[in-house]
Amino acid sequence: RKQKEIRKHFLLTGGSVTCDSKIPSNIMWRTSSKKDNSRSSEKTCLLSSIEPDVTIVVGGEEYKEYSQDLCRWSSYFDAAIKSGMKGASAMKFTFPDRNPSEWEWIVSLMAPLTKQELTRDNIMTAISWFDELSSPIGINACDDYLSSQVLKPLNREEDITSLDVVFDHFVTCTKYNLHNSKKLCVEIFVRLLDDQSALFGEIEQIRRLVLCIQTSEASSRDLLWASLRKFVPSDILALQSMEDLLNENFFPAVVCFEIEKEKSTSSTKKIQKTRKLGTWWKVAKVERVSLLYFFAFFFLSVLMLFAEDPYTIPIIFVVVVVLFSFS
C-alpha cells in the first residue's frame, strides 16, 4: 500500500519526491548529481528500477537528471527532448559557460517539496537560468518574489534617495518580462514624479525615464506620460505629439529646466510662508503679553482691596513682573 501511495505521488509531482523515514527500505535513495554521486543536495526518492536518463554538463561538471522532472519546469528541455533536437537524441545538454553550483541550486529549488528559497542575493541567478531554460514556472516565481519582497517595500518608502535602484529593476523586468514587477516600477516612478520630482533633476535621469516610457506597454506609458507632461511647457505640447517629443534630443533638458524652476518656486513659497509665520508669531506674542499684563493688574487690584498684609501686594507684583519679563 505504501508503495502504491509513493508511486502515485511520484507521477503527480513529475518524478521525484522528498523522502523521510517512513518510506519502505526497498526504495533506494537517488540524487541528481555527478557520476561519483559526491554532490550533497536534497535527496529524492525513486523506485530502484528507474535510472536518470539525461546528462547535463555545466562548466565541465557532469550531472545525471531525469527528463520527466526537467520537462516539468523547463519548456527548453521539454521542446528539445520531444523534437529530437541535436544533443537531445543522446539526452545530453551542455552549458559550458555556466557555474556548476548554480545548476545544483536551480535543480534543488525546482524539486518538489524543496526547502530552497529565493532571496535578494540569488534572485538574479534564478532569473537568468529560468530565462535561458524557458521556465514560465520559474520566471513567475521570480516575478512574484521581486514584486512582493523588493518593490512593494520600496514603494512604501516615503523618501527614496536614489532612482538608480528603481531604474535597474525596470531594466531587469523589461528584459525578462516580469510583468507584475514592471508595473510596480511604473507606480514608483509616477509617485516620485508627483511627490519628489526633484529626484529627476539630472538630464541623464530624464533620458532613462524616457527610455522607460518608450519600452512600456500602452497603459504604463500613458501613466508615466501623464505625470511627466506637467514639466513640459504648454506651447511645446501644442506643437508636437508625445512620440515626437520623446525622440527629441532637447526634451530631457527642457524637462530638467522645468523641474528646477518648480523646485525654486517651491523653495520661494516655503521661505515666504516661513516669514509670514514668523511675523504672525511676533504679533501674536505682543498681543499675548498685553493680555497677560491686563489680567495681572486686574488681579493685583483685587488683592489690594482684600489683602490684610501690606507686604503681600509688593511681593506678588515683583513675582508677576519677573515672570512677564521671561515671556
Side-chain angles (χ1 to χ4, degrees):
R1 182 180 176 182
K2 289 185 177 179
Q3 288 180 346
K4 290 182 178 179
E5 292 178 355
I6 294 168
R7 189 176 291 106
K8 180 180 178 181
H9 191 73
F10 171 80
L11 294 173
L12 289 174
T13 57
S16 60
V17 295
T18 301
C19 293
D20 55 27
S21 58
K22 296 180 181 180
I23 301 302
S25 59
N26 63 336
I27 305 298
M28 77 178 286
W29 290 102
R30 290 201 183 277
T31 179
S32 167
S33 64
K34 306 175 207 176
K35 285 184 176 180
D36 60 358
N37 292 328
S38 61
R39 188 184 103 194
S40 60
S41 64
E42 188 173 356
K43 292 181 178 180
T44 59
C45 177
L46 294 171
L47 295 177
S48 58
S49 60
I50 299 177
E51 294 292 337
D53 58 344
V54 177
T55 300
I56 306 293
V57 181
V58 183
E61 299 288 349
E62 191 171 296
Y63 301 91
K64 293 294 185 180
E65 309 290 355
Y66 295 89
S67 60
Q68 187 176 7
D69 189 44
L70 294 175
C71 293
R72 176 178 58 84
W73 57 268
S74 171
S75 299
Y76 168 80
F77 288 120
D78 186 46
I81 293 172
K82 286 181 178 179
S83 64
M85 187 183 75
K86 182 180 179 181
S89 58
M91 302 295 275
K92 185 175 183 179
F93 299 86
T94 304
F95 302 93
D97 300 326
R98 284 290 193 170
N99 190 325
S101 61
E102 292 180 357
W103 171 256
E104 295 174 9
W105 177 73
I106 286 292
V107 172
S108 181
L109 178 68
M110 298 309 293
L113 305 179
T114 181
K115 294 181 180 179
Q116 298 290 341
E117 294 181 349
L118 292 170
T119 65
R120 291 173 181 261
D121 296 329
N122 61 35
I123 184 67
M124 290 308 303
T125 299
I127 289 174
S128 64
W129 269 104
F130 291 141
D131 178 69
E132 183 172 352
L133 299 178
S134 301
S135 174
I137 297 174
I139 288 293
N140 289 337
C142 292
D143 190 13
D144 291 340
Y145 177 85
L146 190 63
S147 61
S148 61
Q149 302 299 320
V150 178
L151 292 173
K152 276 190 177 179
L154 186 64
N155 196 22
R156 286 194 293 265
E157 290 185 15
E158 293 184 0
D159 294 318
I160 297 177
T161 56
S162 175
L163 290 171
D164 293 336
V165 175
V166 188
F167 280 125
D168 292 342
H169 284 312
F170 186 91
V171 172
T172 300
C173 296
T174 302
K175 181 178 180 180
Y176 297 107
N177 294 319
L178 306 178
H179 299 293
N180 294 332
S181 300
K182 187 175 181 179
K183 184 178 178 181
L184 270 174
C185 288
V186 171
E187 290 180 7
I188 294 174
F189 284 136
V190 170
R191 181 174 67 86
L192 294 178
L193 281 170
D194 294 339
D195 301 336
Q196 293 179 250
S197 58
L199 289 174
F200 295 90
E202 297 179 5
I203 294 180
E204 183 59 31
Q205 292 173 333
I206 300 300
R207 287 199 182 102
R208 297 185 71 178
L209 184 62
V210 167
L211 184 61
C212 291
I213 296 175
Q214 292 173 329
T215 56
S216 295
E217 296 79 7
S219 57
S220 298
R221 185 167 60 247
D222 293 341
L223 286 174
L224 287 170
W225 177 247
S227 296
L228 185 62
R229 64 176 295 162
K230 295 183 296 184
F231 304 103
V232 183
S234 56
D235 53 342
I236 295 180
L237 285 173
L239 294 174
Q240 291 181 285
S241 64
M242 177 189 71
E243 290 79 8
D244 294 336
L245 283 174
L246 294 177
N247 291 323
E248 293 287 354
N249 292 328
F250 68 83
F251 181 73
V254 171
V255 174
C256 279
F257 176 78
E258 293 297 322
I259 289 176
E260 286 297 323
K261 186 167 71 173
E262 183 184 81
K263 183 180 176 181
S264 301
T265 304
S266 178
S267 300
T268 303
K269 289 181 179 179
K270 286 182 179 179
I271 293 173
Q272 292 175 349
K273 185 176 180 180
T274 304
R275 288 177 178 174
K276 289 181 179 179
L277 182 62
T279 304
W280 174 86
W281 180 254
K282 290 179 181 178
V283 173
K285 183 177 180 180
V286 173
E287 293 178 351
R288 288 198 309 275
V289 171
S290 301
L291 189 62
L292 288 173
Y293 271 115
F294 171 77
F295 281 110
F297 284 111
F298 177 78
F299 181 65
L300 288 174
S301 301
V302 173
L303 286 178
M304 291 176 62
L305 294 174
F306 298 98
E308 298 180 356
D309 188 358
Y311 297 102
T312 302
I313 296 175
I315 293 174
I316 294 175
F317 179 78
V318 172
V319 171
V320 170
V321 170
V322 171
L323 291 175
F324 276 101
S325 64
F326 284 106
S327 65

